[in-house]
Amino acid sequence: LTPERARVLVALAYYAALGVERVRLVETAERAEAERRVESMRSALLMAVSHDLRTPLTTIKALAHEMARDGDPAGAAVIEAEADRLDALVRDLLDLSRIHAGAVRPDVAVNTVDDLLGAALRRAAGALGDRAVTVALPDELLAGRFDLAQTLRVVVNLIENAAKYAPPG
């Protein structure tokens, strides 16, 4: 090739590479936009389903209160406990949609482990039933920097799963 033809060939190769890169970037942008739309629709669906589930839960809890007043406190307590459990699941769905939407930011602060475990055991008491949980902490105060609400959710889930799937004792 003559030097002039070589320069033309290099320029053509450069512009062809630019064109290929532009097509790749456009495809990436379109894919990202499609994923954003899907995530937005998923979040809207989660919020709508969560909202629609809350209305019958309110009715169920009201009927359970009425049952307790009319003489079946044990049955009413079971219904109310299960309604509370379902309400917690709905809240988790809403939180999940907020997390995916980027609306939840960690609230990291200094917290103590005994506060975390005490709150987790209180919250998981219904799932534990008559199972005993022994907590052995060292004498010194254990503290750390973590989001108490989100860490509490994780620990409660672990306790509830242990209550469901662990053998007796």
Side-chain angles (χ1 to χ4, degrees), residues 88-151:
L89 290 172
V90 169
R91 271 195 316 271
D92 287 348
L93 273 175
L94 282 171
D95 288 347
L96 182 63
S97 68
R98 287 186 198 112
I99 288 168
H100 280 291
V104 174
R105 300 281 182 248
D107 182 22
V108 177
V110 175
N111 296 288
T112 61
V113 173
D114 57 337
D115 286 344
L116 171 68
L117 293 178
L121 289 171
R122 282 190 300 278
R123 196 172 284 178
L128 287 170
D130 61 349
R131 288 178 178 251
V133 175
T134 304
V135 177
L137 292 174
D139 291 335
E140 64 270 3
L141 184 65
L142 292 177
R145 291 181 43 81
F146 53 89
D147 183 321
L148 183 62
Q150 299 305 323
T151 307

Side-chain angles (χ1 to χ4, degrees), residues 48-58 60 86-87 89-90 93:
V49 166
S50 298
H51 180 269
D52 288 347
L53 285 174
R54 284 210 143 145
T55 303
L57 279 173
T58 304
I60 291 168
L86 189 54
D87 187 50
L89 290 172
V90 169
L93 273 175

